[in-house]
Amino acid sequence: MINKNIEKVLNEQINKEMYSAYLYLSMSAYLSSINLNGFAHWTRQQYIEEQEHALRLYDYVINRSGKVVLKAIDSVKTEWNGVINVFEDILAHERKITDSINNLVNIAYKENDHATVNLLQWFVSEQVEEEATVSDILDQLKLIEGKGSGLFILDREAKTRTAATTNE
Ligand code: OFO
């Protein structure tokens, strides 16, 4: 049986992951609107991964005989000022999510909930990977000043991304 405080903070994290999914989908729509179909694909793949993150927490709460409580998802931004601006927002957002995960780990330690600490270790590693990937893309976009043939090549590369999912 899961502790009520842990149940509450995991439910909040489910909401944050669903918000992340929604944000990436909105970015994808924006990128399609400026004809960057590779980056639109990349952010749409991330939308799928974020839903997977939410489901990982959802399944865990249920497996521990807790109660999943799905709250409203906040509305997301719909306009950006080019692809560099999108990736700046992604990096800032992922850093916030990393803080949120680290905070959850602290709470799980305080509650002596080793199973939850264990679950969260996956998220800790995932955040390191996400921040590194996004930071690399942002550096490359800045190098080419987000335009020209460099942008054409990066957009084509972005098209090859496949979401890593395990849940059905
Ligand atoms: Fe769920 O990792 Fe991004 O937000």
Side-chain angles (χ1 to χ4, degrees), residues 73-89:
I73 302 166
D74 284 346
S75 59
V76 289
K77 194 168 160 178
T78 55
E79 285 298 331
W80 283 267
N81 186 20
V83 65
I84 291 182
N85 183 219
V86 170
F87 274 83
E88 283 169 343
D89 271 13

Side-chain angles (χ1 to χ4, degrees), residues 91-147:
L91 190 55
H93 176 72
E94 288 304 339
R95 284 179 174 155
K96 269 201 259 165
I97 295 293
T98 299
D99 287 347
S100 173
I101 296 291
N102 287 340
N103 188 40
L104 286 185
V105 175
N106 291 341
I107 295 170
Y109 270 122
K110 251 187 234 148
E111 300 283 359
N112 273 327
D113 187 338
H114 296 280
T116 300
V117 169
N118 198 34
L119 165 89
L120 292 171
Q121 290 313 318
W122 182 89
F123 285 88
V124 170
S125 306
E126 177 69 9
Q127 285 309 120
V128 171
E129 196 193 304
E130 284 196 357
E131 282 194 34
T133 306
V134 171
S135 178
D136 273 1
I137 295 174
L138 183 56
D139 286 348
Q140 289 170 7
L141 283 168
K142 282 183 175 165
L143 210 61
I144 57 151
E145 293 169 352
K147 58 185 189 217

Side-chain angles (χ1 to χ4, degrees), residues 49-90:
E49 282 199 14
E50 295 300 346
Q51 290 177 85
E52 147 96 10
H53 297 170
L55 285 174
R56 203 175 264 266
L57 295 161
Y58 169 105
D59 286 339
Y60 177 79
V61 171
I62 288 180
N63 287 341
R64 297 276 315 271
S65 305
K67 183 172 167 53
V68 168
V69 179
L70 300 177
K71 300 254 176 78
I73 302 166
D74 284 346
S75 59
V76 289
K77 194 168 160 178
T78 55
E79 285 298 331
W80 283 267
N81 186 20
V83 65
I84 291 182
N85 183 219
V86 170
F87 274 83
E88 283 169 343
D89 271 13
I90 294 177

